[in-house]
Amino acid sequence: DIQMTQSPSSLSASVGDRVTITCRASQSITWNLNWYQHKPGKAPRLLIYAAARLQSGVPSRFSGSGSGTDFTLTISSLQPEDFATYYCQQSYTSPWTFGQGTTVEIK
Amino acid sequence: QMQLQESGPGLVKPSQTLSLTCTVSGGSISSDDSYWSWIRQPPGKGLEWLGYIYYIGTTYSNPSLKSRVTFSVDTSQNQFSLTLSSVTAADTAIYYCVREVRRSYYFDYWGRGTLVTVSS
């Protein structure tokens, strides 16, 4: 299975900060990388698919980049509703696998 | 807006079978661009994709589950189901039903999840 490693595992940030989360794959997955946001008690939400494509309805402050093995999710200006856990997921080779998550907390 | 809702027992005894159903509303389970998946998250751990079923009955399961997992679909009820046999405490998790976009393999609609505890 392809291993997905996210960093950091958690971070503290303030409203208005620029936040970057990294996801690394154990082998090349070309651009087959997706990002999700998860808040406790709620359904996870797709943010980005195919590394850089913004899902419909997702604010433009979210962006994704990368290819091969290294990817980033960037929140350009953190908003109060963005405090959550973020997961990456590879869709290159089944079984699809996820990173361990990055929790964004209020500083 | 498509919605998915999991249902089933919240407590299962060890060695028994876990059974969950997902009801899809706001869209057809017979859509040819959808796979219907299950994902779980044990307490304090990451997300694990269990597999999917296509509306015609084609399935794929994560090899990590070996032969313990079965998927089924009921197009007349717009539902799909998961059964996991011979459960242990390691199967305790929040179970999510999810729509997987066929050919793109990302998950765009999720249920809120249901906690299943394996305990005697």
Side-chain angles (χ1 to χ4, degrees), chain A residues 2 9 11 20 28-29 33 81 89-90 93 100 103 106:
Chain A
I2 296 177
S9 296
L11 64 91
T20 299
S28 176
I29 57 171
L33 190 283
E81 60 268 31
Q89 173 242 332
Q90 64 84 16
T93 301
Q100 82 280 13
T103 300
I106 301 172

Side-chain angles (χ1 to χ4, degrees), chain A residues 1 32 34 36 38 41-46 49-50 55 87 89-91 94-96 98-100, chain B residues 39 41 45-49 52 60 62-64 96 100 104-113:
Chain A
D1 298 2
N32 293 282
N34 313 301
Y36 303 87
H38 190 199
K42 293 200 170 184
R45 177 192 186 191
L46 174 68
Y49 63 96
Q55 172 68 351
Y87 295 94
Q89 173 242 332
Q90 64 84 16
S91 50
S94 62
W96 320 131
F98 292 84
Q100 82 280 13
Chain B
I39 291 170
Q41 184 172 33
K45 296 190 176 181
L47 296 162
E48 179 184 26
W49 176 70
Y52 70 73
Y60 180 90
N62 191 325
S64 69
Y96 298 95
E100 178 178 336
S104 295
Y105 311 115
Y106 56 82
F107 308 105
D108 61 352
Y109 292 99
W110 297 62
R112 286 196 169 190

